[in-house]
Amino acid sequence: MLGRVFLETARTLIPYDTEDCLRAAVGRVYYALFLECRDVLSRWGFAPPTFQAHHFVRTRFEVAAFPDLQSIGRAIRDLSILRNQADYENWHSIPFSSDSEALSALQRAEKALALLDAIDADPLRRANAILAIRAIP
């Protein structure tokens, strides 16, 4: 299953506009982006992580000397923070009292996935992205 399928799940949940649905939607948005990034790394020849997969994927994007990858990495980081709030900070309902945060997260993931798709579709950009990731110590 493609990770981006989870965006459809989020789109289904957001209109309910209840705290539980908004929290669940944010989680699905994060996982859509994380899984797509993990899978592209695998297609690009990087061994799938067996330990601390979330950290591995995020840092490969966030610290690569390639601005487009860094942008995707920041989106992964920010969505991870929001997902952690949604899943673990039940006492803090402010970000989930309306659909605005979930809609913003959805748009952020869609933008990051469009950028990832553009990199992957362009042989030169893809080669430069792979080189930038390989250069990470």
Side-chain angles (χ1 to χ4, degrees):
M1 179 176 95
L2 296 174
R4 64 187 71 216
V5 170
F6 284 132
L7 295 179
E8 290 305 316
T9 304
R11 285 187 195 98
T12 300
L13 291 169
I14 291 171
Y16 286 99
D17 202 17
T18 60
E19 185 176 349
D20 59 323
C21 286
L22 296 173
R23 286 176 183 270
V26 164
R28 297 303 87 200
V29 167
Y30 166 74
Y31 276 105
L33 182 57
F34 163 73
L35 292 171
E36 290 291 327
C37 290
R38 183 201 63 189
D39 292 350
V40 84
L41 287 174
S42 181
R43 282 197 312 276
W44 290 351
F46 297 93
T50 57
F51 182 70
Q52 295 186 338
H54 296 264
H55 176 75
F56 176 86
V57 170
R58 185 184 70 247
T59 57
R60 291 304 162 280
F61 283 85
E62 207 170 16
V63 303
F66 192 80
D68 289 341
L69 293 180
Q70 292 172 354
S71 176
I72 295 168
R74 285 189 301 274
I76 296 169
R77 180 197 62 216
D78 294 346
L79 292 173
S80 174
I81 291 167
L82 188 59
R83 182 199 64 94
N84 285 337
Q85 287 178 341
D87 288 346
Y88 303 115
E89 297 179 16
N90 306 49
W91 63 90
H92 187 50
S93 63
I94 298 295
F96 309 103
S97 59
S98 76
D99 65 1
S100 62
E101 195 73 45
L103 287 170
S104 177
L106 179 62
Q107 292 168 349
R108 182 106 192 249
E110 289 171 334
K111 183 178 176 182
L113 286 171
L115 182 55
L116 184 63
D117 291 344
I119 294 167
D120 199 30
D122 181 328
L124 182 58
R125 286 175 82 187
R126 183 176 57 242
N128 286 332
I130 291 168
L131 286 174
I133 293 170
R134 288 200 194 286
I136 297 171

